[in-house]
Amino acid sequence: MTSELLDANGTIPVFAGTHVPQLRLPSSVRLEVMQTNGHHAPAATFVETEIISNEEIAPEHYLMRVRSEALANGEPGQFGVIRPGSATDIHPILPRPMAVYQYDKAACTADFVYRVVGYGTAAMAQRRAGDIVEIVGPVGRPFPISDTTNGILIVGRGIGVCSLTTLIDEANRRNIEIYAVFSARNKDVVLGKDMIKKARGNALYVDDSDGSSDVENVEPWISEIIESGRVQQAYVCGSNRLIELVTRLAAPADVETYVSLEAHMACGLGYCHSCATGAFGESAESPLVCRDGPVFRCHPAGVTV
Amino acid sequence: MAVQDTETDSRLGVDLGAGLTLKNPVMPASGCFGPEMGTLFDLGQLGALVPKTIFYGERAGNPAPRTAESPAGMLNSIGIPSRGVEHFLTELLPEYTKYDSPVIVSIGGLGIEEYDRLAERLNGEPGVAGLEVNISCPNLEAGGMEIGASPANVERVLRGVSDRFDGPVIAKLTPNITSIADIAKASEQGGATAISAINTLSGMVIDVDNQRTVTGTMTGGVSGPAIRPIAVRMVWQVCSAVSLPVVGIGGITSAKDALEFILAGATAVAVGTANFTRPTTMLDVIEGLKTYVETHHLSSIDDVRGQLEEGMRVAIEPPRPATPVSGRAG
C-alpha cells in the first residue's frame, strides 16, 4: 500500500501541539491517511427522515433508529452528522457527528447510539418516534477489511465501541472470525454485546469496577490473539491506552491497525475545516477528521512505511 | 427523501452591479460552503457560488479546536487554511464552474500587496465572475480585520483590486468597528462595485472548568442567528451611506430573515452558519422568497428592497358602539 504519511520525519505525532482532548494521541502512535485505492464509499446525502425509535438502552445511553435507504447502505465506520433539535433559530444549532452503530439494509434503517453528555445530546434524547430528524450521511472513509482477511480484532472503550460495531455484521457476513475487547467504566454500559453474540464472536468484556479493564489485564489476551496469527487487521476506538497497546502489539506481527477518531465539526463534509488534525505552525493544513478520516491507519512512531 | 429542486423564477432575479446579475438573490457566505455540498443538491440553483477565501500562497489555518457552539450561534477560529491561488484555479474552480451559477472568488491577504497580487492573477481567468475582497476576517495573525478597520487601508485595498481586476469587486466588511458607514464609503471610493456585510463579530467563549478558551485561539468570530439583529442594523447603515448594491449576511436561516435584510436595503443575501444547521437552508430561502413575491403580488423581489418605515404599524381597534350589542351595560 502506498501511503501519504502525515508525519514525514517519524518523530512528532501528528497531533502534537493541539490540546483537543479527543485528538490527543499517545506520542508512540503515528497516523496515516488511508489511500482509497479506487474504492468509493457511498456519498453523503441530506436525509430528512422519521425517527423510528429513540430509547434509553443503558444509563445515559440512547439508541436512535432512523429510516433511510441512503444511511442503511453506508459502510462500517462511516458516520452521520445529526441535528439534535428541530428549530433552526435557537440553541443548539450545530449538528453532532455520530458513528452508525448498526445498519439494517433489508429494513432500510440505521442506528445511532449516543451518550447524553451535554445540551446537544440531551436535546436529542428528547426526540420521539415519528419526529423528523435531519442527518447528513453516510460520511467519512470506512474501515477497510481486506479480501484476504480471515480474522479481525476489534478493541473499543466507552462510546467508542459504537464506531466499531458495524464491523461485526460485516465480518459475520463475510465469515471472518471476530475477536473483540469491549471496555467500559462499569458493567451497565458495555455496549455491543448482543451483536457479538449474534455473530458468535469471541469477546472479552472488561470494565473499571473490578480493574479488569486495566491495560495490563487486557494485554495478554490481545497479545495471544495477535501472535497466534488468527487476525490480519485490528480496529480501535475510544481509548488512547488501547490505541497505543494494539498498535504496539500488532506491528511486529504485520497486523494492520486502524483507528477511528472523533473531533468537533460543523459540516461533516470538509468545507467548514473545523476538524483539522494538524499541529499549529505547519505551512499547510493537515488532514480533516471528517473528509480524510475518521478512520486512519496507525503505526508505531519512528517506523517508516 | 431526495432534496427537492427549486425552479427558476424570474421575479427573484437581481442585479449586483458591474454586470453581475443573479437568477435569485441567495448565495452562500464564504467559509460556510464548498464543492462538497454539491453531493447534497444541485448548486446551480443558487444565485451565486462563493468559495472559501483564498490567499496567494498556502497557509495552514489555526490550531484545533476551531469551532464551538455559542448561544444561538457559533464561534469559529478556523484561520482560513488555503492551498493558494494556483491550486484554486486548477483544482477547485472547475468544481464550481460546472454549475450554472456565477462564481464570486473571495480573496484575502495578510498585507495590502497580497490583495493586489491576487487581483492581478485572477483577472481574465475564465469562470471568475467577480471578486469578494475579504477585509474582515477576525482570525488572522495580520491583515484581515486590521486592514478592514481603517478607512484609508480599505480604500487602498479596494483601489488596488479594482485597478487590476476588470469585473465586479465586492468589499466584505467587518462589524468590529465604530462606524461601518465610514468603511462602506471608503470601499466605494476605492472602486468597489458592491458591498457585503457583515463578517463575524469578534468574540470569546470560555470553558470555566478548564479555565481556557474553547477554541485553539483566545478569540474567534461569532456567527449565526445570535448576530442577526446587529447585521440587519449594519446593512441598513451601509445602505444609507452608499449607493452600491449590498449583500446582507448574518444569521439568516429562512426567507423571513432574508427579507429583513432586503427591507433594510440589501439587494442579495448570503447564508453562512445555517448551511451547517441545515444544508438545504439556501433552497428554503429561495422557495420562501418565491412565496413572498407571489402573496405580495410583486413583479420583482427588488420592489421591496429598502421599503422600510420606522416603527411598527399598530392596528387600532375601531371605537366601540355606544349601545352594547348585547343590550347589557358593561
Side-chain angles (χ1 to χ4, degrees), chain A residues 14-303:
Chain A
V14 66
F15 301 129
T18 71
H19 57 259
V20 194
Q22 299 97 318
L23 294 188
R24 195 189 287 147
L25 279 189
S27 58
S28 62
V29 174
R30 202 154 55 87
L31 297 186
E32 173 196 344
V33 173
M34 293 189 299
Q35 295 294 302
T36 51
N37 288 333
H39 174 76
H40 293 289
T45 57
F46 177 61
V47 175
E48 276 184 285
T49 191
E50 190 188 335
I51 297 171
I52 295 169
S53 61
N54 188 28
E55 309 286 342
E56 191 167 12
I57 56 164
E60 297 176 350
H61 290 70
Y62 287 73
L63 185 149
M64 180 182 279
R65 174 166 296 169
V66 301
R67 192 184 308 283
S68 162
E69 190 180 349
L71 291 174
N73 283 294
E75 294 187 8
Q78 288 198 288
F79 64 103
V81 190
I82 307 177
R83 191 144 70 82
S86 57
T88 54
D89 223 6
I90 56 169
H91 213 41
I93 60 156
L94 291 181
R96 273 41 176 180
M98 288 181 186
V100 177
Y101 181 72
Q102 189 166 27
Y103 297 111
D104 188 335
K105 288 178 174 47
C108 275
T109 63
D111 295 352
F112 297 90
V113 169
Y114 57 98
R115 184 177 159 220
V116 175
V117 290
Y119 52 78
T121 40
M124 222 174 126
Q126 297 301 312
R127 307 300 298 278
R128 294 285 166 260
D131 287 356
I132 299 299
V133 65
E134 294 170 14
I135 303 172
V136 173
V139 282
R141 297 188 185 193
F143 287 115
I145 305 181
S146 110
D147 292 339
T148 55
T149 289
N150 48 41
I152 60 171
L153 173 67
I154 305 173
V155 180
R157 178 167 162 86
I159 200 72
V161 167
C162 303
S163 298
L164 302 165
T165 43
T166 44
L167 282 163
I168 300 172
D169 285 344
E170 179 67 12
N172 194 29
R173 193 180 63 79
R174 289 164 59 173
N175 290 318
I176 292 169
E177 283 284 322
I178 299 162
Y179 300 87
V181 178
F182 288 164
S183 170
R185 282 178 303 164
N186 57 62
K187 288 186 171 47
D188 294 340
V189 286
V190 179
L191 302 158
K193 270 184 178 172
D194 49 337
M195 295 169 74
I196 288 285
K197 198 173 166 188
K198 195 175 138 222
R200 289 189 291 280
N202 312 282
L204 182 67
Y205 301 108
V206 296
D207 65 273
D208 301 351
S209 65
D210 55 7
S212 59
S213 59
D214 290 353
V215 169
E216 303 77 56
N217 290 333
V218 174
E219 178 165 350
W221 199 83
I222 293 178
S223 187
E224 193 204 318
I225 287 163
I226 287 174
E227 282 169 19
S228 70
R230 281 175 285 182
V231 299
Q232 289 74 48
Q233 290 175 299
Y235 310 87
V236 200
C237 186
S239 159
N240 276 350
R241 290 181 306 161
L242 293 173
I243 291 167
E244 188 168 33
L245 175 71
V246 175
T247 304
R248 173 165 60 80
L249 297 176
D254 289 328
V255 170
E256 297 174 358
T257 304
Y258 296 91
V259 63
S260 178
L261 297 181
E262 39 175 1
H264 291 291
M265 55 183 78
C267 74
L269 295 173
Y271 63 88
C272 80
H273 293 266
S274 296
C275 61
T277 52
F280 185 50
E282 292 178 17
S283 59
E285 187 180 40
S286 46
L288 302 177
V289 170
C290 71
R291 187 190 61 201
D292 304 309
V295 175
F296 295 89
R297 177 89 186 266
C298 290
H299 298 282
V303 172

Side-chain angles (χ1 to χ4, degrees), chain B:
Chain B
M1 202 173 69
V3 173
Q4 192 72 41
D5 284 348
T6 65
E7 279 175 38
T8 305
D9 184 327
S10 61
R11 293 172 296 183
L12 294 194
V14 293
D15 186 350
L16 264 188
L20 186 57
T21 54
L22 313 182
K23 66 182 138 212
N24 66 61
V26 182
M27 64 183 86
S30 177
C32 303
F33 175 72
E36 296 89 347
M37 280 192 103
T39 64
L40 307 183
F41 62 88
D42 174 14
L43 304 181
Q45 299 171 83
L46 304 175
L49 306 181
V50 190
K52 189 168 180 65
T53 299
I54 56 165
F55 281 72
Y56 197 88
E58 190 160 8
R59 48 181 280 115
N62 286 340
R66 291 171 159 187
T67 49
E69 218 162 25
S70 57
M74 66 185 279
L75 182 81
N76 91 76
S77 68
I78 307 283
I80 317 187
S82 169
R83 299 286 300 274
V85 65
E86 298 305 330
H87 176 268
F88 175 79
L89 287 171
T90 55
E91 304 297 324
L92 291 179
L93 186 58
E95 295 298 313
Y96 293 104
T97 51
K98 66 186 183 191
Y99 298 104
D100 183 28
S101 297
V103 181
I104 300 170
V105 179
S106 173
I107 59 171
L110 294 182
I112 288 170
E113 304 71 27
E114 191 165 1
Y115 293 94
D116 292 347
R117 292 176 71 202
L118 278 162
E120 209 163 87
R121 181 65 188 88
L122 292 165
N123 188 39
E125 281 294 331
V128 179
L131 299 184
E132 181 178 74
V133 186
N134 181 356
I135 42 172
S136 42
C137 179
N139 294 320
L140 301 176
E141 57 274 31
M145 210 169 74
E146 313 300 320
I147 290 174
S150 148
N153 285 342
V154 166
E155 186 176 343
R156 164 64 186 85
V157 168
L158 268 301
R159 171 67 55 213
V161 171
S162 56
D163 280 353
R164 289 167 177 81
F165 183 81
D166 304 317
V169 174
I170 306 170
K172 184 162 182 180
L173 308 192
T174 174
N176 303 303
I177 35 83
T178 308
S179 168
I180 199 165
D182 291 348
I183 306 294
K185 283 178 196 157
S187 304
E188 188 174 39
Q189 270 156 22
T193 61
I195 304 275
S196 58
I198 57 176
N199 207 318
T200 57
L201 280 138
S202 180
M204 284 177 91
V205 175
I206 295 170
D207 176 343
V208 297
D209 290 324
N210 293 308
Q211 301 181 352
R212 66 198 318 164
T213 55
V214 297
T215 49
T217 50
M218 290 302 279
T219 64
V222 184
S223 62
I227 72 163
R228 192 191 311 131
I230 300 164
V232 172
R233 181 265 293 177
M234 288 193 151
V235 163
W236 172 71
Q237 287 176 322
V238 168
C239 294
S240 308
V242 297
S243 55
L244 300 175
V246 172
V247 181
I249 314 169
I252 293 171
T253 69
S254 67
K256 180 189 150 294
D257 302 342
L259 282 157
E260 283 198 51
F261 284 91
I262 294 169
L263 286 164
T267 298
V269 295
V271 175
T273 305
N275 293 334
F276 304 138
T277 312
R278 180 176 155 84
T280 53
T281 298
M282 292 182 284
L283 304 184
D284 300 341
V285 173
I286 294 168
E287 283 303 309
L289 291 178
K290 278 185 207 169
T291 306
Y292 190 81
V293 293
E294 191 67 43
T295 52
H296 288 76
H297 310 292
L298 304 174
S299 57
S300 163
I301 189 68
D302 221 33
D303 291 349
V304 291
R305 174 164 52 86
Q307 298 302 304
L308 182 66
E309 290 175 44
E310 194 170 314
M312 293 284 286
R313 268 183 235 125
V314 180
I316 299 170
E317 278 186 54
R320 285 160 174 266
T323 310
V325 179
S326 67
R328 237 179 55 192

